[in-house]
Amino acid sequence: MSTAAAPGPSTAGTAGGGGVPVRTSGPEVVTLTMNPTIDLCWEVEHLTVIGKNRARVRSVAAGGGGINVARHIARFGERTTALHTAGGEIGLRLNRLLDEEGIDHVAVGIDDDTREALVLFETGSHRGYHIVPPGPRLHEREGERCLQVLEQLISNRAYVVASGSLPGGLHDAYYAAVARRVRSAGARLILDTSGPALPAALAEGVFLFRCNRTEAESLTGHPVNSFDDARALNEHLLTTGAAEVAVTTLGALGALCSTSHGHTELYVPPLPGEPLSDAGAGDSMVAALTTQLAAGDDPVSACALGVATAAAAMLTPSTEPFDMDVARSLRPQVRTADSG
């Protein structure tokens, strides 16, 4: 039998096997995190292979794609609820961390333990290492329970963000099932994932798909390093009905945002400091563009804030939150150009 951690004062509710939470009003955006984590960030001056490496705990925070996105959407001022799994003692701690942070969330209990990830930051070299285990293995009934709760939460919502990897035990068509539920509810799905679940989800079709160069290469079978490479991929996604909006990010170069109206190149603005980590850049970008879309902005303009926010996120070590003022100051410096 699945278990669910008891909610704290700021928790939206739990759905381990009892009633589905009922709302009379709620957020514009729901995020889905099937494989959340607790991110432990430690820092050392220099890593050595002999003797002990004395580390300082820099931060401990709830993490995972959709949870990170929800955190930043809330920081932008948009209403959001994070739907996620939670299992074991680590799952209980995950819920407590979300409660303490004031993030509106709903936990679906699972039998296996939620995972922990380690971000190790070497202050002397400014290098960061993100070490992530695969996480729990879910039963089919636990995955189905998440779909049922999602279906209840997204009634009258504008956007759903499904972000992060799938845990073991779920079939490769799981995100495709999410896409069908979201479409049936009249909402729009923003997908940011990788791995075996990606092709089936794209075959089902989503509103917006964001991928980085690694994920793009998995789809094309060859490196995607330029705007020309990204344009070929995005055009394919649009013409096959995989996505209505395709956003392919190209690291320090920027991103290509493609819609039925054309392709737009967006260039990373000059950074006001040394980049420290790209660990949270993707989630930060998705949060910014989702916030703008929910506010009625067009995809290209929303993506421009996303590029600025991702750039701001690179100035912070590990997955720590970006500076909101820096993100907003970088937005006017994001250059755009028509692409083909």
Side-chain angles (χ1 to χ4, degrees):
M1 188 70 182
S2 297
T3 59
S10 64
T11 307
T14 58
V20 173
V22 177
R23 298 168 181 272
T24 56
S25 63
E28 286 297 318
V29 179
V30 172
T31 70
L32 175 64
T33 313
M34 295 302 298
N35 199 9
T37 178
I38 291 180
D39 287 326
L40 310 172
C41 181
W42 298 350
E43 63 177 30
V44 298
E45 185 174 357
H46 294 287
L47 282 174
T48 62
V49 296
I50 299 176
K52 293 181 180 179
N53 286 280
R54 300 290 182 179
R56 182 178 75 88
V57 177
R58 186 182 180 98
S59 62
V60 178
I67 287 175
N68 293 334
V69 171
R71 171 181 294 113
H72 299 316
I73 289 176
R75 294 178 68 220
F76 275 113
E78 183 62 64
R79 292 180 302 166
T80 181
T81 287
L83 171 61
H84 62 92
T85 59
E89 291 298 320
I90 301 174
L92 290 171
R93 190 183 189 191
L94 177 77
N95 285 335
R96 288 196 300 270
L97 288 169
L98 289 167
D99 290 342
E100 291 167 3
E101 197 173 343
I103 295 177
D104 190 34
H105 68 108
V106 174
V108 175
I110 59 174
D111 289 340
D112 209 350
D113 287 341
T114 297
R115 62 182 175 166
E116 288 181 311
L118 176 63
V119 180
L120 187 61
F121 185 67
E122 191 178 47
T123 59
S125 65
H126 283 180
R127 291 177 180 172
Y129 305 88
H130 201 181
I131 305 166
V132 185
R137 186 171 185 83
L138 268 63
H139 301 295
E140 183 178 345
R141 56 179 167 76
E142 294 170 335
E144 180 59 31
R145 181 60 180 157
C146 290
L147 291 175
Q148 293 170 358
V149 176
L150 175 67
E151 196 168 28
Q152 294 293 321
L153 284 175
I154 61 179
S155 177
N156 300 318
R157 305 297 184 260
Y159 291 93
V160 175
V161 179
S163 179
S165 63
L166 285 179
L170 297 183
H171 52 79
D172 291 346
Y174 191 83
Y175 276 141
V178 169
R180 287 191 293 273
R181 305 275 179 126
V182 172
R183 186 183 303 114
S184 296
R188 291 172 164 177
L189 178 62
I190 295 174
L191 180 67
D192 184 8
T193 190
S194 59
L198 183 53
L202 294 178
E204 185 65 35
V206 302
F207 171 68
L208 186 150
F209 172 58
R210 187 210 80 100
C211 65
N212 59 28
R213 287 176 296 181
T214 301
E215 294 150 359
E217 182 176 347
S218 74
L219 294 172
T220 63
H222 57 77
V224 177
N225 295 319
S226 68
F227 283 116
D228 287 343
D229 296 334
R231 185 170 61 251
L233 170 60
N234 286 8
E235 184 67 33
H236 175 73
L237 293 170
L238 295 179
T239 57
T240 59
E244 296 179 41
V245 181
V247 177
T248 298
T249 58
L250 298 164
L253 185 59
L256 185 75
C257 179
S258 303
T259 71
S260 59
H261 299 293
H263 308 277
T264 303
E265 300 170 2
L266 300 102
Y267 294 85
V268 172
L271 296 180
E274 181 184 359
L276 298 178
S277 172
D278 63 354
D283 294 336
S284 300
M285 179 184 195
V286 171
L289 68 86
T290 301
T291 299
Q292 292 304 103
L293 289 171
D297 209 351
D298 67 272
V300 173
S301 180
C303 194
L305 180 61
V307 170
T309 303
M314 294 185 67
L315 299 173
T316 62
S318 71
T319 57
E320 293 179 15
F322 58 88
D323 188 304
M324 189 68 69
D325 290 337
V326 171
R328 290 186 171 125
S329 70
L330 291 176
R331 167 61 181 86
Q333 301 178 54
V334 176
R335 295 188 299 110
T336 63
D338 291 338
S339 179

